[in-house]
Amino acid sequence: MTVQLMSPLEIFIGTWNTTGEVLETEKSPATILLATDTYRWFPGKHFIIHDVDARFGGEPIRSMEVIGYDSSSQKHTARSYDDNGVSETFEVALDDRDWVIVGKSVRFNGLFDLTGNQLTGLWELKSEKVGWQPWIKLKLIRA
């Protein structure tokens, strides 16, 4: 059953060239993001493994994410881990071409183009002082 529930996420499978404009926040300056995002099925197609090799202004950041279906909440979830030892759990949802990621301190709203080969959107960062603020304007293009 989870294979059927995961099948709409097939649109992600493959390698993506990612660019982003990182906006200035109270904790960090503006910079550029360049990354390669690779999505692949874990054997059995119950989970997707998402590997990220990114550079924020030249500084490397690598992360790995596991996307799956949580039968207890009846929602798709993702758990990410990065090379700085940070991990976070997200609720994720794909509704037609709209892709939404919601975490405790970050969230993303994006839209696939009609071909499914480009995803553009905006990451927002939660600040104690100002609430949600724009953080990264992102574009992923299928390689």
Side-chain angles (χ1 to χ4, degrees):
M1 174 128 168
T2 54
V3 173
Q4 292 172 339
L5 295 168
M6 290 296 293
S7 63
L9 302 182
E10 176 80 30
I11 192 169
F12 286 100
I13 302 302
T15 300
W16 300 77
N17 296 317
T18 304
T19 57
E21 177 187 352
V22 182
L23 307 172
E24 183 177 354
T25 66
E26 61 187 22
K27 293 185 179 180
S28 62
T31 191
I32 298 297
L33 162 69
L34 298 173
T36 302
D37 288 80
T38 304
Y39 294 83
R40 61 185 166 81
W41 286 112
F42 189 74
K45 292 192 174 185
H46 297 279
F47 301 97
I48 292 175
I49 306 299
H50 173 203
D51 293 304
V52 181
D53 185 1
R55 295 200 172 274
F56 281 81
E59 293 296 318
I61 300 277
R62 289 171 186 80
S63 64
M64 189 267 304
E65 179 178 62
V66 179
I67 304 167
Y69 184 78
D70 179 15
S71 58
S72 63
S73 67
Q74 298 186 351
K75 296 180 180 186
H76 288 93
T77 60
R79 178 82 179 177
S80 71
Y81 307 87
D82 72 22
D83 57 2
N84 290 318
V86 176
S87 66
E88 188 167 357
T89 301
F90 302 96
E91 187 177 299
V92 298
L94 181 63
D95 182 14
D96 190 31
R97 295 184 301 124
D98 295 316
W99 176 238
V100 177
I101 303 169
V102 178
K104 187 184 290 185
S105 61
V106 296
R107 65 185 182 191
F108 178 80
N109 285 290
L111 181 67
F112 280 97
D113 71 358
L114 292 174
T115 68
N117 291 318
Q118 182 173 298
L119 173 64
T120 56
L122 177 68
W123 277 102
E124 293 178 297
L125 184 63
K126 191 172 190 178
S127 162
E128 291 179 18
K129 293 181 183 176
V130 296
W132 291 103
Q133 61 181 339
W135 179 35
I136 304 172
K137 295 178 184 177
L138 203 62
K139 181 187 289 186
L140 289 81
I141 299 174
R142 191 179 303 277

